[in-house]
Amino acid sequence: MTAPALATRLQTLQPSPIIQVANAARALKAAGKPVVSLSIGVPGFLPPAHVYAAAHQAVDADSGDYLPGRGSPALVQAFLASMAARGFAYTEAEVVAQVGGKGALFNLLLALINPGDEVIVPAPYWASYPEMVKLMGGVPICPTATAANNYKITPAQLQAAITPKTKAILWNNPSNPTGMLYTPAETAALAAVLAAAPQVWVISDDIYDHLIFDQGAKRAAHVLDSQPGLKDRAILVQSVSKTYGMPGWRVGMVAAPKLVVDALLALTSQSTTHLPAVPMAAAAAALAGPQDFLHAQTARLRAQRDETLAALAAMGLPCPMPEGAFYAFPQITPTFGKTTPGGTKITDDLNFCTALLHEALVAVVPGGAFGDAGAIRISYAGKGAELTEALQRLARFVGSLQG
Ligand code: PLP
């Protein structure tokens, strides 16, 4: 007997390739192979002790009741204060908690996108952006930022991508997958283009904005810095996953005009109801607590970035210098046409990554998942010794290619 059909909208949905690679690496590990994974974006550290204390307290103080869809009062207040510290004044009516940054983006697109609407997603992009847009019936429009331009789009490219059908732009700074960081001047130039396009929602996925290395600033530049008037259509997405080492706690936050927040509240009221109490208490403690541990983490990430870039340069794989987040996005085109010791002829990112996983036991994500099939994405935030080992294996693999 054949099963009844799935919904049409699922027919073209690509499951997250990042999660697929991570699962393949896990399966090999479970089979006893010493795989090192540089695939999924785990920040590689645990949150400070006061976060766990708040979680334990929340268990002890369980009310046995449902909680507000917007988020617990402590979480909402902690988020408002952290936004205020960044220079962005929001009120309670303009913020809402969601199931991670990913859940926030999913619900935002559900709330904003009609079939046929265009959404500008600069490439290389985070793999989920275009898939989410397509799931809503929208059309991703992807101006491409090349490695030669340090993976940054220009204001002219942004301008050219805007049409009467453009409903939103969805982007992040710094970037997953490239680690690219727009400077304040570059951000201002892009913001000026958006200021002249009043029909466009500006969705900024700011979840890596604390994790920046070189600009002498504590947080990444934002379009609202130079164009505060964009606040009426700017939607800011935050998460505790990367900044506080809490990806498993699944707490994301949105700051946006009340119209958008009310739409998210309505969606939440008919779907997940609210976030669980314990993660909310932990996230509130993370946001409200001392932030000084971040210096140590960004210093560690910067050192691992430097180690990764030096190794890639020695391998002859060109890679623009990442200035934030914890990813490197080297071009692997110099290996195309060569053959591995196991007999695979490298022709694209997919068979490069498959051969690397099976022959060298290193997991990285094919760049095609992010819109550039000539690259791979390396997540370098894991344990230092594992990173060193994985880079050595990658170097041996690249060095062993013949032809
Ligand atoms: N946005 C970007 C650019 C990401 O890289 C990720 C996770 O890797 C997310 C959103 C989702 O993060 P979370 O749902 O854990 O908050």
Side-chain angles (χ1 to χ4, degrees):
M1 229 176 65
T2 51
L6 296 177
T8 326
R9 76 177 74 85
L10 260 289
Q11 285 169 1
T12 53
L13 180 71
Q14 297 296 320
S16 165
I18 305 168
I19 291 179
Q20 282 178 317
V21 174
N23 288 346
R26 245 181 243 129
L28 279 174
K29 254 191 196 166
K33 305 262 186 194
V35 171
V36 184
S37 180
L38 306 181
S39 61
I40 203 160
V42 285
F45 64 96
L46 291 172
H50 61 267
V51 169
Y52 291 104
H56 286 293
Q57 260 169 27
V59 173
D60 293 340
D62 181 28
S63 67
D65 207 350
Y66 285 109
L67 299 173
R70 192 185 301 284
S72 65
L75 177 58
V76 167
Q77 291 312 315
F79 180 56
L80 288 172
S82 89
M83 293 302 273
R86 172 60 183 83
F88 300 146
Y90 281 92
T91 63
E92 194 176 321
E94 296 168 312
V95 300
V96 57
Q98 295 283 283
V99 184
K102 199 185 238 178
L105 292 165
F106 189 95
N107 279 346
L108 280 166
L109 293 171
L110 193 56
L112 300 176
I113 302 308
N114 286 318
D117 284 347
E118 292 179 356
V119 179
I120 299 175
V121 178
Y125 41 68
W126 184 46
S128 295
Y129 293 160
E131 285 307 312
M132 287 183 188
V133 170
K134 287 189 270 179
L135 196 58
M136 310 307 163
V139 183
I141 302 293
C142 305
T144 297
T146 59
N149 201 35
N150 289 325
Y151 295 128
K152 297 179 180 189
I153 59 162
T154 63
Q157 280 181 294
L158 177 58
Q159 184 66 62
I162 297 174
T163 77
K165 287 191 184 163
T166 308
K167 187 70 179 286
I169 176 168
L170 169 54
W171 62 357
N172 57 8
N173 187 41
S175 156
N176 175 4
T178 64
M180 165 289 299
L181 177 69
Y182 289 109
T183 64
E186 289 162 347
T187 308
L190 295 167
V193 175
L194 294 171
Q199 86 281 17
V200 178
W201 289 104
V202 180
I203 309 173
S204 68
D205 177 353
D206 300 333
I207 76 167
Y208 294 100
D209 76 340
H210 284 86
L211 303 180
I212 66 173
F213 309 138
D214 301 315
Q215 281 180 10
K218 284 199 177 135
R219 302 283 288 269
H222 197 278
V223 290
L224 289 181
D225 294 334
S226 58
Q227 297 285 344
L230 281 176
K231 193 167 174 234
D232 293 344
R233 52 197 171 88
I235 300 170
L236 280 54
V237 176
Q238 277 289 350
S239 163
V240 297
S241 292
K242 315 292 177 175
T243 310
Y244 299 102
M246 299 172 68
W249 297 78
R250 309 308 304 129
V251 181
M253 298 297 297
V254 173
K258 183 173 181 301
L259 169 77
V260 174
V261 166
D262 286 348
L264 293 182
L265 283 169
L267 277 172
T268 302
S269 77
Q270 295 291 21
S271 54
T272 48
T273 310
H274 64 73
L275 291 182
V278 175
M280 286 202 283
L287 287 166
Q291 307 289 304
D292 41 350
F293 75 98
L294 271 169
H295 298 303
Q297 288 310 332
T298 43
R300 180 182 68 88
L301 291 174
R302 187 194 290 117
Q304 298 198 177
R305 184 263 326 248
D306 290 344
E307 179 183 350
T308 305
L309 267 282
L312 292 170
M315 290 173 225
L317 300 183
C319 186
M321 179 60 81
E323 292 183 285
F326 40 71
Y327 306 101
F329 203 63
Q331 292 292 316
I332 52 159
T333 43
T335 68
F336 288 3
K338 297 188 176 172
T339 303
T340 70
T344 299
K345 185 165 183 192
I346 306 286
T347 51
D348 61 20
D349 57 334
L350 282 176
N351 68 4
F352 179 97
C353 290
T354 307
L356 180 68
L357 181 58
H358 291 281
E359 295 185 32
L361 300 178
V362 176
V364 298
V365 187
F370 311 96
D372 184 348
I376 54 172
R377 189 195 73 170
I378 292 175
S379 174
Y380 59 73
K383 292 197 187 73
E386 288 191 2
L387 175 66
T388 304
E389 169 65 24
L391 291 171
Q392 284 167 357
R393 290 186 198 178
L394 178 62
R396 278 199 298 274
F397 175 79
V398 171
S400 72
L401 299 176
Q402 298 290 326

